[in-house]
Amino acid sequence: QVQLVESGGGSVQAGGSLKLSCAVSGYINNRCRMGWYRQAPGKERELVSDISAGGTTNYANSVKGRFTISQDNAKNTLYLQMNSLEIEDTAVYSCAAASRRTLWDACDYKYWGQGTQVTVSS
């Protein structure tokens, strides 16, 4: 079984920092991408950042320059360093992993963590 468990969320003042971790248990064959999503109250879930198996990173425009995604494959852990946090960053953050059977298949997110709350206050 594959499980993704987030940690590191909490409450922080605007301008502060948090580092989220996502521990992955169980082996995901042909994992092609891992990412962080967030969902704020009254808003749709959005992709915050992801990183491919090859190390290519992607960030939502709203977090570019402030957030950094990284992974430690030896520890099966995904990270999201969040700096200069803003009130608008308040959301439930979830990590996700994508896999595909072959290189010709779509890299679809299949595994999800339960999420961790990040609250940014003034």
Side-chain angles (χ1 to χ4, degrees):
Q1 291 182 326
V2 174
Q3 284 190 304
L4 281 65
V5 181
E6 302 95 337
S7 62
S11 298
V12 65
Q13 292 184 333
S17 299
L18 284 173
K19 187 174 184 178
L20 305 182
S21 298
C22 173
V24 181
S25 62
Y27 182 73
I28 302 174
N29 286 324
N30 300 317
R31 188 172 70 190
C32 49
R33 191 185 307 274
M34 293 195 70
W36 289 95
Y37 283 79
R38 69 184 181 187
Q39 186 168 26
K43 294 186 176 181
E44 298 295 323
R45 185 173 63 185
E46 65 172 345
L47 177 66
V48 178
S49 179
D50 60 16
I51 182 168
S52 72
T56 301
T57 57
N58 177 59
Y59 297 92
N61 288 332
S62 60
V63 307
K64 286 182 179 178
R66 299 188 297 119
F67 291 10
T68 302
I69 191 170
S70 62
Q71 60 188 349
D72 187 335
N73 290 326
K75 296 182 178 180
N76 289 322
T77 303
L78 179 73
Y79 303 97
L80 184 67
Q81 178 67 52
M82 305 185 295
N83 298 325
S84 301
L85 283 163
E86 303 170 353
I87 294 176
E88 292 76 16
D89 295 319
T90 296
V92 174
Y93 285 72
S94 301
C95 65
S99 66
R100 58 191 177 194
R101 293 182 61 83
T102 71
L103 292 174
W104 312 113
D105 296 322
C107 180
D108 297 325
Y109 284 104
K110 298 182 176 66
Y111 309 99
W112 296 83
Q114 65 181 8
T116 184
Q117 177 71 49
V118 172
T119 301
V120 184
S121 61
S122 61

